[in-house]
Amino acid sequence: MSEKPEKLACEQAIKMILEYLDNELTEHDHVAMNGHFETCRSCFSRMEFEKMLKDKISALPAKKAPDSLRNKIKKVTGKF
Amino acid sequence: MIAVMPTVDGHMLDKEFFADQVEANLDRFYAHAILMTKNEACAEDLVAEGIAKAWKAVDSLQDATRFVPWVKRIMTNHFISEQRKASTKTRHIEYHEEFSEESEPFSLFEQLHQPFLLWWGNPEKEFLDDLLQKDIVAAFEALPENFRIAVLMADVEGLSYPEISDTLDVPVGTVRSRIARARSALQKQLWDHALEKGLVDQEGED
Ligand SMILES: [Zn+2]
C-alpha cells in the first residue's frame, strides 16, 4: 500500500466539512478529507448530514410568480 | 453596432429566445427574489429590473445554457447595489460581521447525532426528512441580510467563494467566515423551530 498522508484529527476534519462540500479546500486538504472519511464513520455521517441539508437548501425556492409579475414582464420583454 | 450573440445549438440568442427563457424560468427568478427581499412587491420589482438589466447586458452571457444563473446573478448584483445606495443614506451597520470568531458554531448534527445508537437508527436523517421546505424558508428569512445573501450565493446559486467575493466586493476571507456563520445561524434557527414545533424533544439535554 502507498504511504498515508498525515492523518487528520476529527477536530480538524469537522472544521473543514462545509468547505469540503463547497469544493473550496486546497487539493491537498480535499484528499486528506477523503482519506479521513474512509476511516472515520462519525465524520462521514456528519458530512452526509451536511450534504443533505445543503441539497435541501439548494432546492429551496418553490414560489409561483404572480400574474401581476407575468404581465409586468411581458411588457418589459415586449419592448425589446 | 452588431453585438455578437451567444448561441444555443447554433442558433443566435435573439429576443425571442430571451423572452421565452424569461417566461419559462419566471418562477425561479421570482423565488430567488423573494428569498433576497423577503417582500412580494419588492421581489416583483427586482425581477422586472433584473430582467431589463439582463437584456441590456446580453452580450456578457457567454453560454446560453447558463441563462438562469446568469440572470440570478444580475438580480443579486442589482439588489446589492440598491441596498448599498440605501445604506449610505441610513448608515446601517454590517450586522453580526464583528461577532467574535471564537464563538462555537452551532451544529444540528451535534444536537441530533447519537453515536451509540444501533446501526439502523438515524435521527439526523429523520430530522431532515421531517423538515419542510417552508421550515427552511422561514429559518432562512430570519437570517440577517448579509448572511442570507451569502448562503443564497453559495448553496442556491452554487457560486465559488472567489466569485462571491467578487460580486459582494469583500475579501474571500470575509466570504468564508460569513458563510460559516450564516450556516451556523441557519442551523440554530432550524433547531429552535423544531423544538417549538415539537419535532424533537430535549430529553437528551443534561
Ligand atoms: Zn473523524
Side-chain angles (χ1 to χ4, degrees):
Chain A
M1 289 299 286
S2 61
E3 59 180 292
K4 285 252 155 66
E6 74 264 43
K7 281 249 166 81
L8 275 180
C10 289
E11 203 187 324
Q12 293 168 282
I14 287 168
K15 281 199 183 123
M16 294 199 284
I17 284 180
L18 293 174
E19 289 186 36
Y20 171 85
L21 291 173
D22 287 345
N23 243 321
E24 295 285 345
L25 292 177
T26 61
E27 194 175 342
H28 173 271
D29 287 344
H30 199 90
V31 170
M33 288 292 274
N34 283 336
H36 188 81
F37 293 140
E38 273 169 29
T39 55
C40 179
R41 187 182 150 197
S42 160
C43 286
F44 180 77
S45 316
R46 189 172 182 137
M47 183 273 285
E48 291 268 275
F49 174 82
E50 297 294 350
K51 186 173 185 307
M52 281 190 279
L53 183 57
K54 187 176 155 82
D55 289 346
K56 280 215 163 209
I57 293 168
S58 21
L60 251 195
K63 274 233 165 167
K64 283 245 171 284
D67 288 341
S68 52
L69 177 61
R70 287 206 177 269
N71 295 331
K72 204 183 281 183
I73 295 303
K74 281 208 183 94
K75 271 182 213 149
V76 175
T77 54
K79 265 189 253 160
F80 292 156
Chain B
M1 193 168 53
I2 301 160
V4 180
M5 292 293 198
T7 60
V8 202
D9 304 332
H11 298 291
M12 292 295 220
L13 179 67
D14 57 7
K15 291 174 188 190
E16 204 183 326
F17 170 83
F18 187 96
D20 287 351
Q21 285 290 306
V22 166
E23 171 92 46
N25 294 293
L26 198 56
D27 289 343
R28 297 167 76 181
F29 299 144
Y30 179 67
H32 181 72
I34 286 275
L35 288 176
M36 249 186 306
T37 62
K38 296 197 291 181
N39 173 296
E40 293 178 2
C42 294
E44 282 199 29
D45 288 344
L46 179 57
V47 173
E49 286 159 20
I51 284 167
K53 279 203 143 177
W55 176 247
K56 276 192 202 135
V58 75
D59 298 355
S60 72
L61 174 63
Q62 274 141 21
D63 175 0
T65 63
R66 305 275 305 152
F67 185 80
V68 172
W70 174 74
V71 172
K72 280 189 184 176
R73 189 160 178 192
I74 289 172
M75 283 168 51
T76 307
N77 284 335
H78 182 62
F79 177 70
I80 290 165
S81 72
E82 289 298 301
Q83 291 299 107
R84 228 170 250 156
K85 272 185 224 157
S87 70
T88 49
K89 280 180 211 144
T90 56
R91 275 186 66 81
H92 96 118
I93 306 144
E94 290 265 293
Y95 29 129
H96 289 238
E97 206 69 86
E98 55 292 288
F99 253 39
S100 68
E101 284 289 336
E102 308 86 64
S103 66
E104 272 293 302
F106 181 87
S107 160
L108 269 176
F109 182 82
E110 276 169 21
Q111 301 292 330
L112 296 162
H113 187 59
Q114 291 168 23
F116 303 113
L117 210 67
L118 294 171
W119 62 270
W120 59 83
N122 193 340
E124 60 270 20
K125 182 162 187 313
E126 279 163 28
F127 178 87
L128 286 184
D129 288 344
D130 287 344
L131 214 55
L132 301 175
Q133 236 191 13
K134 69 173 170 51
D135 299 331
I136 302 182
V137 170
F140 194 80
E141 291 190 342
L143 295 179
E145 187 174 288
N146 53 353
F147 281 13
R148 220 165 55 234
I149 289 175
V151 175
L152 254 184
M153 293 175 110
D155 287 350
V156 184
E157 288 168 54
L159 296 176
S160 69
Y161 293 1
E163 284 172 319
I164 297 171
S165 146
D166 223 39
T167 309
L168 297 178
D169 200 20
V170 296
V172 175
T174 307
V175 170
R176 178 170 287 122
S177 65
R178 199 180 285 182
I179 288 174
R181 271 172 294 159
R183 284 183 177 144
S184 162
L186 186 71
Q187 297 205 357
K188 180 80 172 69
Q189 285 286 343
L190 288 172
W191 178 247
D192 291 346
H193 177 76
L195 284 178
E196 257 169 52
K197 269 178 77 177
L199 291 176
V200 286
D201 46 40
Q202 259 180 319
E203 63 186 70
E205 296 269 297
D206 46 18

